[in-house]
């Protein structure tokens, strides 16, 4: 099934599982929570105020997907097509799993990313604009050129990650030394 240039509003996809290919579609206030999205392709789609909590995304392809004000709690992106591309704005991404994903230049804007998992991900050039990274895990992650200048509540161990040219603010440097027991004073 192929759906192109459509606006889909307030659809509960737990009752009608999406299948096939969606291009240039806008999804508004739709429910995808715990829905099986395996092998579905979304190209240049916008998701506004949708719930994807615990959605199953095995081999799901996201090309130019934009999530605005969405709930994506506990979503496992690591099983998606590895060439997916996203933008997240004001989303709840707590406990989301991005393990091993290639997310170069991905923008996260004003997102709550508490306890998200970025182990072994390629986040080169990613932007974390005013994001809460409390207890988010970065381990063997490529963060070269990433922008953390307005992110907060983060703890990143520099020796376990690639940080060359990453951008931090002097106000969030504590997140780079907290594991050493060092305290910073204003």
């Amino acid at each position: 099934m192929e759906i192109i240039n459509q606006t889909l509003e307030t659809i509960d996809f737990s009752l009608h599982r999406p299948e096939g290919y969606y291009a240039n579609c806008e999804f508004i206030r739709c429910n995808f929570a715990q829905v099986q999205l395996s092998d579905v392709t979304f190209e240049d789609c916008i998701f506004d105020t949708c719930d994807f909590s615990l959605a199953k995304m095995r081999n799901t392809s996201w090309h130019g997907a934009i999530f605005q004000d969405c709930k994506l709690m506990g979503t496992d992106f690591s099983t998606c097509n590895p060439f997916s591309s996203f933008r997240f704005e004001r989303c709840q991404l707590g406990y989301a799993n991005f393990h091993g994903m290639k997310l170069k230049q991905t923008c996260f804007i004003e997102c709550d990313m508490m306890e998200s998992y970025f182990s072994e991900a390629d986040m080169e050039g990613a932007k974390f604009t005013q994001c809460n990274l409390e207890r988010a895990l970065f381990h063997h992650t490529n963060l070269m050129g990433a922008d953390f200048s307005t992110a907060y509540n983060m703890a990143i161990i520099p020796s376990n990650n690639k940080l060359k040219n990453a951008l931090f603010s002097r106000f969030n440097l504590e997140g780079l030394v907290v594991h050493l027991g060092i305290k910073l004073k204003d």
Side-chain angles (χ1 to χ4, degrees):
M1 177 169 54
E2 199 172 275
I3 297 177
I4 300 173
N5 296 322
Q6 298 291 315
T7 298
L8 298 108
E9 198 164 352
T10 62
I11 296 174
D12 186 350
F13 285 101
S14 68
L15 303 174
H16 310 284
R17 182 185 176 273
E19 296 178 346
Y21 176 81
Y22 295 80
N24 299 307
C25 292
E26 186 171 4
F27 297 83
I28 302 169
R29 293 183 303 280
C30 293
N31 179 35
F32 295 90
Q34 300 185 34
V35 171
Q36 183 67 251
L37 296 172
S38 297
D39 302 310
V40 178
T41 297
F42 296 97
E43 186 171 328
D44 297 321
C45 292
I46 297 173
F47 301 89
D48 188 350
T49 321
C50 296
D51 186 355
F52 284 87
S53 297
L54 299 173
K56 316 290 187 285
M57 298 186 181
R58 191 178 56 76
N59 295 322
T60 306
S61 294
W62 307 90
H63 303 288
I66 299 173
F67 295 91
Q68 301 169 326
D69 301 298
C70 290
K71 186 177 179 182
L72 299 126
M73 303 290 287
T75 303
D76 187 359
F77 290 95
S78 71
T79 61
C80 292
N81 178 312
F83 301 103
S84 294
S85 60
F86 309 94
R87 179 181 178 91
F88 299 94
E89 302 170 4
R90 300 170 308 281
C91 291
Q92 296 176 32
L93 285 158
Y95 309 99
N97 182 5
F98 295 97
H99 174 79
M101 296 222 39
K102 294 176 184 359
L103 296 171
K104 289 184 177 186
Q105 308 297 321
T106 298
C107 290
F108 299 91
I109 301 168
E110 297 178 18
C111 294
D112 184 350
M113 306 177 77
M114 194 163 128
E115 295 194 42
S116 290
Y117 188 69
F118 295 96
S119 179
E120 299 180 17
D122 186 352
M123 308 291 295
E124 185 174 343
K127 290 182 175 38
F128 295 89
T129 306
Q130 296 180 353
C131 290
N132 179 9
L133 295 169
E134 186 175 351
R135 295 190 304 273
L137 179 64
F138 296 93
H139 186 71
H140 294 143
T141 305
N142 180 2
L143 298 169
M144 294 191 306
D147 185 348
F148 292 96
S149 61
T150 60
Y152 55 96
N153 293 333
M154 64 184 173
I156 299 173
I157 300 174
S159 61
N160 290 344
N161 298 284
K162 294 179 182 176
L163 290 171
K164 184 175 182 178
N165 295 320
L167 184 60
F168 296 90
S169 160
R170 65 185 172 118
F171 300 106
N172 65 9
L173 283 177
E174 184 178 3
L176 297 175
V177 298
V178 69
H179 68 285
L180 299 172
I182 295 173
K183 295 181 182 179
L184 299 176
K185 185 176 178 182
D186 290 336

